[in-house]
Amino acid sequence: MADKTAILSVGIDVGTSTTQVVFSKLQMDNAGGYFSVPRVAIVDKEVVYKSEVYMTPLKTDVLIDTEALRDIVAAEFRKAGYRPEDTDSGAVIITGESARKENSDAVLKSLSDFAGDFVVSAAGPDMESLIAGKGSGAWQYSMDHHCRVANLDIGGGTTNVVLFEDGETLARGCLDIGGRLICMNPQGIITKVSPAAAVMAQAAGVSVSVGDRCDELKLTAVTRQMAAALNAYLGVGTKDIDAILRQIKTPGSSDFPVPEKVQAVFFSGGVADLIYHESADTWAYGDIGVLLGRAIRESRLFTDFQKMEPGETIRATVVGAGTYTTTISGSTITYSDDIFPLKNIPVIKLDEELQEACFAGETEPVIRRIQWVLGQNDAERFILAMPGKRDPGYTEMKRAAAAIRQIMDRVQPPGEPILLVIESDIAKAMGQMIRQQPDLKRQVVAIDSIHVEDGEYVDMGKPMMNGMVIPVVVKTLIFG
């Protein structure tokens, strides 16, 4: 007989321009019988409350107003009819230019304390690209249609771009292009011109400065230049603006090679609403968002690719978050005593190519990959995940164990444990071989039969059934 229960999940997204809160009910179902190991999964989800979209409150250009933001979240809990203690799961995600604010860590701590045991992350630009691409539906579309798909998440301060092919991530990048790079007051006087917008204005051959009265022709020229930059980023239109793209590349983002054979393009983020559904009021939001949406709509991005309208645009980054998919590890496991429970451990997953490098004893490619991911957040403890191999030889296993030990010594502070999740049933042997490495001063946990992906978080409970299995909770971002 199946056991069913519902949990309440809440997502809080603090972006460059906007902040929003979403509550979801997630239906959990234990498909296991009375005499079998539990198999619990999310079988249904329902968004039960969406907040209004707030302007992210700022004290100064470099400081988020933490108290005002906390008040917004508290008010939305009251409107939704929930208390913080009612929530079972959730995520606080801070993205875009907000992640660059001086007090972003304090903001995350304040909101996570308010809302409970959350996944908390200041997403770097590349990670934000991936999250938005999954949230918009581009990632799923690439798998369903076996094609190459780009997602452009265009917000207030940045455009995050990700390229998927058949569910694999080919490239990620970010440009300082967004709807609030130039702002104006209700009297039509320009109050903000970002450095990236100044670069765009110069390239367009117009002058735009704080204190100027809005000139629609000039600002249209600027936004058309922004659209031209995005066209060039995806390999269409102007080919001679590499220098401009370098100037407006978002700090911390990866290089984005010019892609080929892109079959479909998705747009998400706040500006996406203005691309698909143009506003009649050019200055409706006190910025250039409407003009930017219009310029993109008139660009080759709309003529050279199949256009797909996502299920979520402005809410692509978080629509119900931090949800639980509980499962049980297999019996071929290795672990150190007194290390559990482990909570909210981020996952770094190796693809087949990097796994092969590891089994060949090559450490540098894997180290570069891990260091890149760690550069997107401030985690010191993480789970190294891999698909595993069927029936690997003893020599292969020994090489891989030595490589993993060397890798972890390079990328982790002393004393942090080696945490492995392997899909195939080789975790026990791998864990034992790692523990046999000379002078190892780290605890080791290696579990199998768990499927995880990049960007997910894992909890591990105390061993059960006389230590044969470990309960595992995989926390992922659930999107509309």
Side-chain angles (χ1 to χ4, degrees), residues 152 159 161 175-177 199-200 203 222-238 241-242 244-246 248 256 292 296 299 301:
L152 286 77
T159 295
V161 186
L175 298 175
D176 285 348
I177 291 177
V199 170
M200 293 285 98
V222 173
T223 55
R224 284 177 175 170
Q225 188 65 45
M226 291 178 175
L230 294 177
N231 276 263
Y233 211 52
L234 287 188
V236 297
T238 306
I241 62 173
D242 288 348
I244 294 174
L245 292 177
R246 285 194 295 271
I248 63 172
F256 190 88
L292 179 56
I296 292 170
S299 75
L301 290 174

Side-chain angles (χ1 to χ4, degrees), residues 140-185:
Q140 187 68 47
Y141 186 90
S142 77
M143 287 194 294
D144 292 344
H145 297 271
H146 306 288
C147 64
R148 187 171 293 186
V149 180
N151 189 79
L152 286 77
D153 188 70
I154 310 170
T158 58
T159 295
N160 299 89
V161 186
V162 62
L163 189 65
F164 298 118
E165 184 170 25
D166 208 8
E168 295 294 327
T169 304
L170 300 184
R172 286 169 277 203
C174 189
L175 298 175
D176 285 348
I177 291 177
R180 293 195 66 77
L181 298 189
I182 299 177
C183 299
M184 62 287 302
N185 63 22

Side-chain angles (χ1 to χ4, degrees), residues 309-427:
E309 185 167 355
E312 296 291 344
T313 51
I314 193 170
R315 299 186 192 273
T317 303
V318 171
V319 174
T323 62
Y324 291 79
T325 303
T326 304
T327 186
I328 302 295
S329 71
S331 58
T332 59
I333 58 177
T334 297
Y335 58 86
S336 300
D337 293 329
D338 302 324
I339 192 174
F340 302 107
L342 296 169
K343 301 285 287 182
N344 288 340
I345 312 297
V347 172
I348 300 177
K349 186 172 185 178
L350 303 185
D351 59 19
E352 294 282 355
E353 183 178 350
L354 287 176
Q355 177 179 269
E356 283 300 321
C358 193
F359 274 85
E362 300 172 15
T363 60
E364 289 303 319
V366 180
I367 289 170
R368 287 195 296 270
R369 160 71 175 156
I370 293 172
Q371 289 176 335
W372 174 84
V373 176
L374 294 180
Q376 300 291 309
N377 57 55
D378 57 0
E380 292 184 343
R381 178 176 294 186
F382 63 91
I383 288 170
L384 185 64
M386 61 182 71
K389 302 182 72 171
R390 180 173 295 181
D391 300 323
Y394 174 80
T395 302
E396 273 189 305
M397 290 285 287
K398 191 173 181 179
R399 278 200 306 261
I404 291 169
R405 188 266 174 87
Q406 293 173 34
I407 289 163
M408 293 306 197
D409 283 347
R410 285 274 301 278
V411 301
Q412 282 190 314
E416 289 294 335
I418 296 175
L419 306 175
L420 294 177
V421 170
I422 304 175
E423 290 182 32
S424 63
D425 294 334
I426 61 172

